[in-house]
Amino acid sequence: MASALRARLRRSKFVPDEFVPIRRLLAPCIAPRVLRDLLKFITGQHTSMQKILIIGATSAIAEATARLYARRGDTLYLVARNEERLAGIANDLAIRGAHKVETAAFDILEHERHRALLERAAETMDGIDVILVAHGILPDQAACEKDPERMRDAFEVNALGTMSLLTLVANVLEAQGSGTLAVIGSVAGDRGRKSNYVYGASKAALHTFLQGLRNRLAGQGIKVITIKPGFVDTPMTAAFEKGPLWAAPETIAAGIVNAIENGRDVVYLPWFWRLIMLVVGTIPEPLFKRLSL
């Protein structure tokens, strides 16, 4: 049994390979989780466990972000609609080293459940350090143009339902006097384009709402971060033709973790999208309306 445990620790990626001899020496007499935390302390890796609530946890970007936190040994509370998919992700994160993983099936349109969800997450983890909201849909623009109900549905999910939840999130963080809220928006919200203006408008509304929350909570030491990815290769964008501006979910996830650690306000991911959208935003309207974007 001890040899099997040593083999598992030897294959672990939690610490550099040069510490394999230490793992071999201590494995028979120290519990694996204790040994992992000890070696993280020795190597200067993330030593302060965080309690992280991820809403929309089955999205590709959220899952990639959760994996980074799991490898640091953090506690995770995952929320999404698909309970079976949540269970699979939770098992994977536990294997990757998460201190603890809890899940809850939840639809953001069930407004009456928002408060109970946040209370349960805070109680389960004994507080919340980081809340990542990665929830949203990419509506069919052509369908929304023909059917106002489809347009309203997109706004309900991407804007109104999310803002309803964020109102309560802000109150929770305000009550505990600390914490970070990071919300995934989109560069599409920077300027309306005919190819996706329904999606872009919903993200623009979210962006403005987050600006207000950031202004409200800044004096209380609470960070509100707007994440603005560009093109990301995920199942949601599977039908799109990919090009050099597209990024992998893992790239966006690394940027999200970095933004949270450094307390950024608004971050474009990858970084070059800030320059692209700066240029897009300066195009005069008489010219912009003639472009096919």
Side-chain angles (χ1 to χ4, degrees), residues 240-253:
F240 290 73
E241 183 178 348
K242 307 303 186 293
L245 295 180
W246 287 76
E250 291 75 15
T251 300
I252 306 303

Side-chain angles (χ1 to χ4, degrees), residues 77-263:
Y77 196 101
L78 311 179
V79 178
R81 288 183 298 175
N82 190 324
E83 193 168 3
E84 182 177 353
R85 179 89 174 96
L86 271 177
I89 293 174
N91 289 336
D92 175 72
L93 296 176
I95 293 172
R96 292 175 185 272
H99 177 76
K100 184 179 181 181
V101 185
E102 297 286 347
T103 65
F106 172 79
D107 189 327
I108 204 164
L109 298 183
E110 297 175 327
H111 298 169
E112 68 281 0
R113 294 185 58 203
H114 288 183
R115 190 183 305 276
L117 169 74
L118 295 174
E119 289 175 351
R120 181 182 172 192
E123 181 180 357
T124 300
M125 296 190 292
D126 191 24
I128 305 174
D129 296 313
V130 176
I131 299 176
L132 172 63
V133 179
H135 175 83
I137 60 172
L138 182 62
D140 185 316
Q141 174 65 33
C144 289
E145 291 172 9
K146 294 180 174 63
D147 185 355
E149 187 172 348
R150 295 282 295 271
M151 182 275 293
R152 289 194 297 269
D153 288 343
F155 256 79
E156 185 66 40
V157 174
N158 289 342
L160 297 178
T162 302
M163 290 188 290
S164 174
L165 177 66
L166 293 180
T167 298
L168 296 177
V169 165
N171 295 340
V172 168
L173 297 181
E174 192 172 35
Q176 71 178 24
S178 64
T180 297
L181 168 63
V183 183
I184 298 180
S186 173
V187 298
D190 283 17
R191 191 163 191 178
R193 297 177 291 121
K194 69 178 183 179
S195 61
N196 68 351
Y197 63 81
V198 171
Y199 176 72
S202 67
K203 292 299 185 179
L206 182 61
H207 172 73
T208 302
F209 188 86
L210 290 170
Q211 282 182 322
L213 278 187
R214 186 159 43 245
N215 185 223
R216 168 190 160 190
L217 299 174
Q220 303 176 55
I222 298 167
K223 301 171 185 175
V224 177
I225 304 171
T226 305
I227 309 294
K228 292 195 169 189
F231 301 142
V232 186
D233 188 1
T234 68
M236 192 167 71
T237 59
F240 290 73
E241 183 178 348
K242 307 303 186 293
L245 295 180
W246 287 76
E250 291 75 15
T251 300
I252 306 303
I256 290 173
V257 172
N258 181 68
I260 291 172
E261 289 182 343
N262 291 285

